[in-house]
Amino acid sequence: MTISEAGTTAVRPGRQRTPPEPGDALSAAWSDYLTAARQLDGLRRDAAIAASEQARTVQAARDELVAVRTHLAAQEAQLCEQGVPPISLKPTPPELSEATRSMSGGPGAVLAALREARRRAYGVDDILAARGLSRVAHWPPRPRNLLVYGPLGLLVPLLLIAIYLAAGTGPVTILALVVGLPGPAVAFGAGWLAVGRLFPSHPGQRVERTARFGALTCLIPAVVATAGILLAMLAT
């Protein structure tokens, strides 16, 4: 090897990684910037939505608190007029501690607790009002409504049976059967209205009229009575 060849060999560069082109580096930086900006915008939106929902919950809890306080103040005055000692209407320390623990979950838990308190306060109204069917109003919907639909559903069948026993198998009984055909529908409509008047719901709630149960209660006695009368007429 000559000196010139050795020199040429010494200065020949090895294989190295080429640095990225300026355009590629700028594109990568721009892509990273856009990704970070999108993430930041998403976080900002999530934070804004969470703050808005929390603000609505806090406002709803404040409104609920005012309504509950007003309601309880009226009930307290009514109970005091009826001779209940005022000291017995104040919460005890254990009750206050339990209420504090139940509302430690934030505005949502406070709102839920206030709504439950309002529901119970309306339940107390039914007792204090001492209306005619106040106790029955707290029964389950079907047994309670049966007291309305049942008598109305039996009215037409009993009337048809009485006419058949009095008139026998004649045109009067046939006319009564024809006239009594819409009887179940009329009984159901009257029962539907009566349930709403006798067992009104609390504000924001629907009346439990148990429409399907009421329709069957009014229909079945009429069908049984009509079928029995027709069989008796055919047998004679």
Side-chain angles (χ1 to χ4, degrees):
M1 177 182 297
T2 63
I3 296 175
S4 60
E5 292 176 346
T8 303
T9 302
V11 299
R12 181 180 298 172
R15 188 174 183 179
Q16 299 178 353
R17 298 178 62 182
T18 57
E21 296 292 332
D24 295 338
L26 181 61
S27 177
W30 177 250
S31 177
D32 293 341
Y33 167 76
L34 289 180
T35 302
R38 292 191 188 99
Q39 293 177 349
L40 180 61
D41 185 64
L43 293 174
R44 181 186 60 80
R45 290 182 180 179
D46 292 342
I49 292 174
S52 177
E53 292 179 351
Q54 185 173 5
R56 286 195 297 267
T57 303
V58 170
Q59 184 59 42
R62 289 175 177 172
D63 296 339
E64 197 75 24
L65 178 60
V66 173
V68 171
R69 279 180 172 174
T70 303
H71 209 103
L72 291 179
Q75 288 181 348
E76 183 178 359
Q78 186 175 357
L79 289 171
C80 290
E81 290 177 357
Q82 296 180 3
V84 178
I87 189 62
S88 64
L89 300 176
K90 303 299 181 181
T92 61
E95 291 173 341
L96 291 175
S97 300
E98 180 64 25
T100 302
R101 284 194 298 269
S102 65
M103 293 185 293
S104 60
V110 173
L111 180 59
L114 289 172
R115 286 175 175 171
E116 177 64 18
R118 180 166 61 93
R119 185 188 66 81
R120 293 185 178 183
Y122 281 122
V124 174
D125 281 342
D126 292 337
I127 300 174
L128 294 177
R131 291 178 289 189
L133 297 177
S134 59
R135 292 186 178 180
V136 178
H138 293 86
W139 288 11
R142 287 190 176 184
R144 179 197 67 190
N145 295 344
L146 182 62
L147 298 177
V148 179
Y149 290 120
L152 293 173
L154 290 174
L155 183 61
V156 173
L158 293 177
L159 183 61
L160 292 176
I161 293 173
I163 293 174
Y164 171 73
L165 294 176
T169 57
V172 176
T173 302
I174 296 176
L175 179 62
L177 291 175
V178 174
V179 174
L181 287 178
V186 175
F188 170 72
W192 192 86
L193 294 175
V195 168
R197 294 294 299 273
L198 294 174
F199 311 118
S201 64
H202 299 308
Q205 299 180 359
R206 296 177 57 185
V207 178
E208 291 287 346
R209 288 188 167 93
T210 58
R212 183 177 301 178
F213 174 75
L216 292 175
T217 303
C218 296
L219 180 63
I220 291 176
V223 171
V224 172
T226 303
I229 293 173
L230 289 176
L231 291 176
M233 292 176 65
L234 293 175
T236 57

